[in-house]
Amino acid sequence: MKFLGTKTLETKRLILRKINEDDYKQAFKNWCNSDAIDKYVTWTKHNSEEETKLLYSKWMEEYDEKTFRWIIELKVNHEVIGTIDVSKKFLSFGTCEIGYCLSDKYWNQGIMTEATREVIRYLFEECEADTIWAEYLENNPASGKVMEKSGMKYEGKLRSRIFDKNNKRNDLIVYSILKGEYIK
């Protein structure tokens, strides 16, 4: 795998780019403190802009050739509406785990699928990844739809792996796409 890092990517409606020092304000407003999003993620919603600012400052310091972390920005008005990134855990094997978060104001508009498809394209075509995968808590089937529409296939269920925000055990549902399955 080629480690090209977080290169700016564009789609019809989106700019995927590195996080910058001003993004935390819109991130906090649009999704980091959202109750709607909080019930589907493993992290706890932020209580202040300062909390988001500290996290984003840390993330900006981590950028290197093995960091794949994009802010999702709308082309039409430059509003920051989400993030998409790749875990470093299995990169040495050419295996990329994608994770994403999108402002609930933009759910059900195909935006996350558009961003995910572009990241998949970049990872396969430019970085020469071999496998791309993602997982979601069973209480968030909309995330699975994003994975399906992005070309990933259902791989399986990791039973009773994680607690949700209501302290209820959830299965993790796994999707993946292999380089040989990828269609341009």
Side-chain angles (χ1 to χ4, degrees), residues 38-182:
D38 187 56
K39 64 184 173 182
Y40 297 121
V41 296
T42 55
W43 48 273
T44 303
K45 73 178 187 170
H46 298 180
N47 293 313
S48 69
E49 274 189 3
E50 187 62 26
E51 189 176 349
T52 306
K53 182 179 182 179
L54 289 171
L55 176 64
Y56 278 35
S57 293
K58 178 181 173 245
W59 282 355
M60 285 185 296
E61 290 172 7
E62 292 175 352
Y63 277 118
D64 65 17
E65 68 281 348
K66 289 188 178 181
T67 300
F68 298 92
R69 179 174 289 124
W70 294 268
I71 203 84
I72 301 169
E73 178 183 309
L74 289 174
K75 280 184 176 179
V76 68
N77 61 7
H78 300 289
E79 183 178 4
V80 170
I81 61 169
T83 58
I84 186 166
D85 62 7
V86 177
S87 169
K88 291 184 179 184
K89 189 173 181 182
F90 298 111
L91 286 181
S92 62
F93 301 105
T95 301
C96 304
E97 179 187 8
I98 293 178
Y100 46 75
C101 190
L102 182 69
S103 168
D104 55 305
K105 190 164 65 169
Y106 295 97
W107 288 355
N108 300 310
Q109 296 178 34
I111 289 172
M112 198 70 249
T113 299
E114 187 174 325
T116 302
R117 282 181 179 163
E118 180 59 16
V119 168
I120 288 171
R121 183 209 62 76
Y122 173 65
L123 292 171
F124 279 141
E125 292 182 18
E126 297 183 44
C127 298
E128 300 177 4
D130 293 304
T131 303
I132 298 170
W133 66 289
E135 62 189 18
Y136 68 92
L137 276 68
E138 69 181 325
N139 70 348
N140 187 11
S143 190
K145 294 292 183 196
V146 168
M147 294 170 198
E148 286 176 17
K149 291 176 182 178
S150 298
M152 295 185 198
K153 295 180 181 177
Y154 175 79
E155 193 165 291
K157 181 187 298 191
L158 303 175
R159 299 177 301 153
S160 194
R161 286 301 196 274
I162 196 165
F163 287 101
D164 66 15
K165 297 293 168 69
N166 296 316
N167 210 30
K168 177 184 176 253
R169 281 208 166 268
N170 260 246
D171 297 338
L172 286 176
I173 313 300
V174 181
Y175 278 75
S176 68
I177 183 169
L178 307 177
K179 190 173 199 164
E181 298 168 338
Y182 171 68

Side-chain angles (χ1 to χ4, degrees), residues 3-67:
F3 297 109
L4 304 178
T6 308
K7 173 183 167 184
T8 298
L9 306 173
E10 290 192 33
T11 68
K12 182 180 176 184
R13 298 181 288 176
L14 308 171
I15 298 169
L16 308 178
R17 59 165 175 78
K18 286 184 177 181
I19 295 167
N20 70 43
E21 62 188 29
D22 297 322
D23 290 332
Y24 75 92
K25 292 176 185 177
Q26 287 186 57
F28 177 77
K29 182 183 104 189
N30 287 338
W31 72 91
C32 291
N33 75 335
S34 166
D35 289 329
I37 290 169
D38 187 56
K39 64 184 173 182
Y40 297 121
V41 296
T42 55
W43 48 273
T44 303
K45 73 178 187 170
H46 298 180
N47 293 313
S48 69
E49 274 189 3
E50 187 62 26
E51 189 176 349
T52 306
K53 182 179 182 179
L54 289 171
L55 176 64
Y56 278 35
S57 293
K58 178 181 173 245
W59 282 355
M60 285 185 296
E61 290 172 7
E62 292 175 352
Y63 277 118
D64 65 17
E65 68 281 348
K66 289 188 178 181
T67 300

